[in-house]
């Protein structure tokens, strides 16, 4: 029964998973475009940073990004509708502990 439920969930998720995305890895320097609505107007706000972790779990895939200028961590759900663009600026920088 568990396998049958899992199959149904996976079939339902297929329509919501984004397919046109760049290949991103831990250590990449990226720019995320986030759709923000303020005072009835929509705009795109960009967040640049270094990818610290990548959690792959189907529709629940998330990326943790650290902004190097302001030392802010944000977790982005990759398949969210508010995420408009992902631009890889630099590939695989070394992470220091």
């Amino acid at each position: 029964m568990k396998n049958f439920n899992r199959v149904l969930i996976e079939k339902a998720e297929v329509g919501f998973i984004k397919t046109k995305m760049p290949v991103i890895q831990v250590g990449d320097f990226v720019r995320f475009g986030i759709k923000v609505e303020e005072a009835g107007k929509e705009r795109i706000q960009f967040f640049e940073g270094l990818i610290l972790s990548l959690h792959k779990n189907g529709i629940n895939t998330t990326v943790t990004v650290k902004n190097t200028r302001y030392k802010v961590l944000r977790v982005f759900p990759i398949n969210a509708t508010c995420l408009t663009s992902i631009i890889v600026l630099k590939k695989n920088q070394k992470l220091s502990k």
Side-chain angles (χ1 to χ4, degrees):
M1 190 66 172
K2 286 184 181 180
N3 289 338
F4 180 71
N5 289 340
R6 187 66 200 155
V7 170
L8 287 176
I9 290 171
E10 288 175 358
K11 284 184 180 180
E13 289 178 350
V14 168
F16 296 101
I17 294 177
K18 293 182 181 177
T19 55
K20 294 183 180 180
M21 290 187 28
V23 176
I24 54 175
Q25 297 176 346
V26 175
D28 289 351
F29 195 78
V30 294
R31 177 183 293 153
F32 286 97
I34 304 119
K35 192 184 318 179
V36 178
E37 185 174 335
E38 293 176 335
K41 296 180 181 178
E42 280 190 3
R43 66 182 178 90
I44 296 177
Q45 179 176 357
F46 291 101
F47 186 87
E48 287 184 4
L50 190 65
I51 295 179
L52 295 181
S53 69
L54 181 62
H55 178 252
K56 294 183 180 181
N57 189 13
I59 200 164
N60 298 322
T61 301
T62 58
V63 175
T64 304
V65 181
K66 178 183 179 183
N67 187 308
T68 54
R69 179 183 281 172
Y70 302 111
K71 309 294 189 255
V72 176
L73 285 177
R74 283 190 70 176
V75 178
F76 292 102
I78 292 295
N79 294 303
T81 56
C82 64
L83 191 63
T84 59
S85 65
I86 301 173
I87 302 167
V88 178
L89 301 174
K90 292 181 186 174
K91 295 295 269 183
N92 285 340
Q93 295 183 341
K94 287 189 175 181
L95 295 176
S96 60
K97 295 182 179 181

